Amino acid sequence: MPRSRRSTSREPAWGVAVGDLTNDGLPELLGTCVGPDRLFHNLGQREFRDATVESGYDNPAWGTSACFVDYDRDGWLDLFVVNYVEIDDRPCSRTGGGPRDYCPPHRFAPTIDRLFRNVTVTSSAPAVAPRLEDVTAAAGLASASGAGLGATAGDLTGDGWPDLYVANDQMPNRLWVNLRDGRFCDEAVLRGCAVDAVGRPQASMGVAIDDIDADGEWDLFLTHLEGEYHTLYCGAGGGAFEDRTAAAGLAAPTLPFTGFGVAAFDVEHDGDPDLVCVSGRVQRDAGAPEEPYWEPYRQRGQILLNDLGRFREDRRLAGPLDEACIARGLATGDLDGDGDLDVVVNRTGEPLLVLANEAAKGHWVRVRARLPGCGRRDAIGAVISVVTPGRSVRRLLQPGMSYLSSHEPVVHVGVGDARRVERIEVAWPDGLMTRHTGGAVDRMYEIDRPAADGVPRVDEETREQ
């Protein structure tokens, strides 16, 4: 395991993850840093306190992306954190001479990612503190190192248990397959989602999971360095993946960009998940002027519209996203309450960019799934299918995607010109399957998991908002 390092000074903040560790309906906040990270306990009334030391959480490395996941299906969210490299103070200059610049990851030692099991003890106290146990070694994750930048979790192998996916920078990505006994095994190479179609590792940053081609299999989309296309790994059945980037029309439009934050969601509400990416270079062009310093790093973002699995870029819809900047994090949520997803972008050297979605034309459905026995916390890891006449669209409830970011914990589905929802189906994180009555479109549905008796429920009542 890497050596522990503590600092009395404030460490540079990096990423964020949001999830309810105490099952009280109040989500905790993790801030990843250039070691050590900080975990904040939610006390309610918009008040947080630093519970890093008390919780037992200790990640002294350069933490980047993180996500919450109930990997052992015990009803308590656990925490998965990916780390970048073992940073030091060595000078870094452009290869072959020239001014100082950002170093590539291979000039530093890689490090391991970490998994923390939730061992919080229930209590009658109104604000029991979260408790975490580092199970990295016991889970098998200490057996491999890398330069992790993106992270997410979901059942990518189809066995009902959540797996862990890591986007590594200039190194093969990792798919930690859940062995259902507390251990994981990296099968990314075996399953086809470690390297590109010709076997080259890419500089992976952001990651999104969705059923891009509506074939019932989860797909992975990753953003990469300029000169490498952003990669679409399509699910090929049986937990296998294939690089189908070129066939989907995504290779040429993404090749000129260094992509970071990414989200897959239905921008237009036509039923197909689109892709929104933000970009910003990490190296200066040869001969670039020293001032203004940030100018050579600026790039525009992209909206890539999906038409039955084929994509085209639409700059007309991008609005301010089409303006060049140095963008890193990207998160989505319905900020104005009008039923479509808006976008928040973290930019270097500029204020936060908040983009209201004005492109949506069709109807929509939003679903919030909760676990009543867990303080009505969000059922992270649930798979939700919205069935309308002639179509079924499924989404994964997992806020921890993109790059250093956390999305709103609500499933959002565009339903086009459909006028009603026939039913909503939920595969809960513990394996229970339920079916719920539908109703009107353009509504938020709140669904609580029924009593745990091991019997799938049919036509459970839902609440419209």
Side-chain angles (χ1 to χ4, degrees), residues 422-426 428 432-438 447-451 453-462:
E422 291 185 343
R423 64 184 182 277
I424 299 173
E425 299 171 346
V426 183
W428 297 93
L432 183 69
M433 305 289 294
T434 62
R435 190 168 70 224
H436 308 261
T437 54
I447 301 178
D448 286 349
R449 184 196 184 284
D453 57 7
V455 179
R457 300 300 181 91
V458 177
D459 295 332
E460 291 288 340
E461 184 180 355
T462 60

Side-chain angles (χ1 to χ4, degrees), residues 299-318:
Q299 288 186 318
R300 62 180 176 83
Q302 294 183 285
I303 292 182
L304 301 157
L305 296 181
N306 185 356
D307 183 11
L308 300 177
R310 289 280 304 178
F311 287 83
R312 60 179 176 84
E313 184 177 7
D314 193 323
R315 297 185 66 177
R316 176 183 56 85
L317 294 181

Side-chain angles (χ1 to χ4, degrees), residues 3 85-93 100-110:
R3 64 187 184 278
V85 294
E86 292 286 351
I87 190 170
D88 56 31
D89 295 325
R90 77 181 69 180
C92 192
S93 300
R100 286 168 63 92
D101 204 348
Y102 292 100
C103 281
H106 62 261
R107 301 203 33 195
F108 300 90

Side-chain angles (χ1 to χ4, degrees), residues 9 13-14 62 68 208 236 247 258 268 298 310 347 351 354 371 435 451 462:
S9 62
W14 208 252
W62 182 348
F68 290 85
T258 294
E268 298 178 297
R298 298 165 67 88
R310 289 280 304 178
R347 302 182 293 180
V354 180
L371 302 173
R435 190 168 70 224
T462 60

Side-chain angles (χ1 to χ4, degrees), residues 6 19-24 26 28 39-42 49-58 68-69 71-72 74-80 115-123 127-135:
R6 286 293 182 189
D20 182 1
L21 290 171
T22 55
N23 282 356
D24 60 0
L26 300 172
E28 273 62 56
L39 179 66
F40 296 91
H41 179 205
N42 191 338
R49 69 180 181 89
D50 190 333
T52 310
V53 175
E54 178 185 1
S55 70
Y57 176 80
D58 183 20
F68 290 85
V69 52
Y71 79 90
D72 52 4
D74 67 351
W76 294 82
L77 287 178
D78 310 298
L79 181 55
F80 177 54
L115 180 64
F116 296 86
R117 184 169 181 264
N118 191 341
V119 292
T120 304
V121 178
T122 58
S123 168
V128 60
R131 291 287 302 171
L132 296 168
E133 176 187 7
D134 189 339
V135 295

Side-chain angles (χ1 to χ4, degrees), residues 167-189:
N168 277 323
D169 188 3
Q170 298 185 15
M171 301 177 186
N173 304 313
R174 300 200 183 279
L175 172 56
W176 292 105
V177 173
N178 194 330
L179 301 181
R180 296 178 281 181
D181 60 359
R183 296 177 300 132
F184 291 81
C185 178
D186 177 24
E187 298 183 4
V189 173

Side-chain angles (χ1 to χ4, degrees), residues 82-352:
V82 300
N83 294 312
Y84 197 40
V85 294
E86 292 286 351
I87 190 170
D88 56 31
D89 295 325
R90 77 181 69 180
C92 192
S93 300
R94 179 181 293 278
T95 303
R100 286 168 63 92
D101 204 348
Y102 292 100
C103 281
H106 62 261
R107 301 203 33 195
F108 300 90
T111 188
I112 63 172
D113 305 316
R114 291 187 180 239
L115 180 64
F116 296 86
R117 184 169 181 264
N118 191 341
V119 292
T120 304
V121 178
T122 58
S123 168
S124 59
V128 60
R131 291 287 302 171
L132 296 168
E133 176 187 7
D134 189 339
V135 295
T136 305
L141 271 63
S143 63
S145 59
L149 286 177
T152 192
D155 177 16
L156 297 175
T157 58
D159 64 355
W161 288 72
D163 310 299
L164 311 174
Y165 190 78
V166 183
N168 277 323
D169 188 3
Q170 298 185 15
M171 301 177 186
N173 304 313
R174 300 200 183 279
L175 172 56
W176 292 105
V177 173
N178 194 330
L179 301 181
R180 296 178 281 181
D181 60 359
R183 296 177 300 132
F184 291 81
C185 178
D186 177 24
E187 298 183 4
V189 173
L190 176 67
R191 294 179 180 272
C193 54
V195 294
D196 69 10
V198 295
R200 299 171 301 190
Q202 295 174 294
S204 301
M205 268 79 84
V207 58
I209 300 175
D210 212 314
D211 186 359
I212 297 294
D213 50 8
D215 65 350
E217 301 285 345
W218 292 128
D219 309 309
L220 292 160
F221 182 76
L222 281 77
T223 56
H224 294 120
L225 196 67
E226 183 177 349
E228 302 174 344
Y229 56 74
H230 300 350
T231 304
L232 176 63
Y233 294 110
C234 284
F241 294 85
E242 294 179 359
D243 180 349
R244 298 179 187 167
T245 311
L250 287 167
T254 61
L255 198 63
F257 296 92
T258 294
F260 283 92
V262 60
F265 68 96
D266 193 345
V267 173
E268 298 178 297
H269 289 174
D270 63 355
D272 297 320
D274 309 300
L275 297 167
V276 178
C277 312
V278 294
S279 307
R281 293 188 180 94
V282 296
Q283 290 184 320
R284 303 173 71 84
D285 293 330
E290 290 297 313
E291 297 295 338
Y293 178 80
W294 291 116
E295 190 62 30
Y297 300 99
R298 298 165 67 88
Q299 288 186 318
R300 62 180 176 83
Q302 294 183 285
I303 292 182
L304 301 157
L305 296 181
N306 185 356
D307 183 11
L308 300 177
R310 289 280 304 178
F311 287 83
R312 60 179 176 84
E313 184 177 7
D314 193 323
R315 297 185 66 177
R316 176 183 56 85
L317 294 181
L321 194 68
D322 195 57
E323 300 172 8
C325 66
I326 309 167
R328 293 295 185 258
L330 179 152
T332 62
D334 184 8
L335 302 180
D336 50 12
D338 64 352
D340 54 39
L341 289 186
D342 309 302
V343 175
V344 179
V345 181
N346 185 321
R347 302 182 293 180
T348 298
E350 295 181 81
L352 200 70

